[in-house]
Amino acid sequence: MGRGRTRTGKDGAMAPRPRELTPDRSARDLFGAELRRHRERAGMSLRRLSEVLNYSKSHLARIETAESLPYDDLPAKLDVCFGTDGLFARLHAVAKKEPFPGKYRRVIEIERQATTIEQYLSATAPGLLQTADYAARLMRAVQQHAPDAEIEAQVTARLARQARLWGSRPPRCWFILDESVLRRGFGGPEVMRHQLQVLVECAEQRHLTIQVLPFSAGEHPEVLGGSLTLYTLPDRLTLAYEEGSRSGAFFENREEVAERRASYDLLRALSLSPRDSEAMIRAAMEDWTPCEPPVI
């Protein structure tokens, strides 16, 4: 969902309109829309509401735009503040069943349907293969001010996605990891070593293939700094999804998908073989082994 046109703020600067919500499609959006509606009807700014509730303004803003959900007593506080007789408590009971923000919901749905998943990642381990500790540290790095309960809920949702890989009919998955994934630490040596060990164990499964794109392969501007995923559905239709640090986009047009297929195939050709990739991952594991203190 894009933003609307800009408007003039109190200081004369042009401020973006609040993100448009779709309360008829999502309980998360409905919660945010009702929060915004009652706040504006009361003539309160986000700053003023945060002062009244003794609650983070930035988190309130994320809740209004359906990017986050409250994970404490905020719904009850909102009902008291606006006199809504349990409305926000009831909305929260439904909205918390949607662990993913709206912008990721379609990605998750496509992922659930896909019979083949081919993914290139330039900076992090695949979400489908992440350990709980690695996922938590990664999410905390991206959302530094989010409540701990929100991070925990997101980690739980991410781990739940992985169950399909170990079901009776798992998708065929092919992961290409930039070498930086092995070198950039999230959570320190122990967390990284465990994550790399899990990658090695996953690569032993017949339906999972992992390759490493080494630094020596050079630059690849078409996907540098982001991720590219190709989803093949049961009807053999292939969709492409590109994601950067702040946004993501699906591509369904046959020519656009073909362009991204060509990019992925080039990355696969330039990557190390699965056997050599395993060797590089094991070598990186040794690099993440904590050094023993010298004996005095």
Side-chain angles (χ1 to χ4, degrees), residues 18 35 43 71 82 84 92 100 124 140 153 156 190 210 224 268 273-274 289:
L35 172 55
Y71 290 95
F82 297 127
T84 43
H92 180 244
F100 302 102
T124 66
R140 174 57 67 193
T156 298
E190 290 187 8
I210 298 177
L224 191 63
R268 180 153 41 200
S273 69
T289 301

Side-chain angles (χ1 to χ4, degrees), residues 77-288:
K77 287 182 177 181
L78 290 173
D79 283 323
V80 172
C81 178
F82 297 127
T84 43
D85 191 27
L87 170 67
F88 286 99
R90 293 191 296 273
L91 288 176
H92 180 244
V94 179
K96 69 182 181 181
K97 297 178 182 178
E98 299 177 352
F100 302 102
K103 65 181 180 180
Y104 295 120
R105 214 162 291 141
R106 188 173 183 226
V107 177
I108 300 304
E109 184 57 34
I110 294 296
E111 181 181 276
R112 287 172 180 160
Q113 299 176 29
T115 57
T116 301
I117 300 173
E118 299 162 282
Q119 189 170 50
Y120 162 77
L121 299 104
S122 65
T124 66
L128 289 171
L129 304 181
Q130 288 177 10
T131 66
D133 288 338
Y134 182 95
R137 296 304 292 262
L138 173 60
M139 291 174 180
R140 174 57 67 193
V142 175
Q143 306 170 79
Q144 298 181 15
H145 304 293
D148 289 343
E150 182 177 344
I151 297 296
E152 291 171 5
Q154 292 177 1
V155 171
T156 298
R158 176 158 297 185
L159 297 182
R161 288 169 50 198
Q162 300 175 2
R164 186 164 177 249
L165 294 187
W166 312 107
S168 58
R169 300 183 65 181
R172 177 70 174 93
C173 296
W174 201 300
F175 300 103
I176 299 175
L177 313 181
D178 191 272
E179 185 178 344
S180 61
V181 172
L182 314 182
R183 310 299 180 187
R184 179 178 290 106
F186 287 100
E190 290 187 8
V191 172
M192 283 300 298
R193 183 176 174 82
H194 183 209
Q195 177 62 71
L196 297 183
Q197 177 62 45
V198 167
L199 293 181
V200 170
E201 293 171 357
C202 288
E204 296 174 353
Q205 305 299 315
R206 289 193 297 177
H207 65 292
L208 303 176
T209 300
I210 298 177
Q211 288 183 267
V212 175
L213 180 68
F215 292 143
S216 59
E219 298 180 352
H220 304 283
E222 65 270 25
V223 289
L224 191 63
S227 67
L228 168 63
T229 308
L230 300 171
Y231 297 104
T232 301
L233 302 180
D235 60 2
R236 299 187 179 181
L237 174 68
T238 298
L239 305 179
Y241 179 70
E242 285 184 350
E243 185 172 23
S245 60
R246 297 294 180 184
S247 62
F250 262 108
F251 298 89
E252 303 180 46
N253 176 275
R254 183 175 299 178
E255 292 182 358
E256 292 178 323
V257 172
E259 290 176 4
R260 285 152 182 84
R261 160 63 70 191
S263 295
Y264 191 86
D265 288 345
L266 174 60
L267 292 171
R268 180 153 41 200
L270 294 175
S271 296
L272 300 176
S273 69
R275 179 176 296 179
D276 290 342
S277 295
E278 178 184 343
M280 177 173 279
I281 295 172
R282 289 186 180 277
M285 285 174 58
E286 295 304 314
D287 293 339
W288 285 109

Side-chain angles (χ1 to χ4, degrees), residues 3-9 13-19:
R3 293 185 180 274
R5 291 176 293 179
T6 56
R7 59 181 178 179
T8 303
M14 298 302 288
R17 288 186 181 277
R19 186 180 76 87

Side-chain angles (χ1 to χ4, degrees), residues 59-73:
H59 193 209
L60 285 174
R62 293 199 303 273
I63 293 169
E64 274 203 4
T65 55
E67 295 299 317
S68 297
L69 278 176
Y71 290 95
D72 49 24
D73 60 349

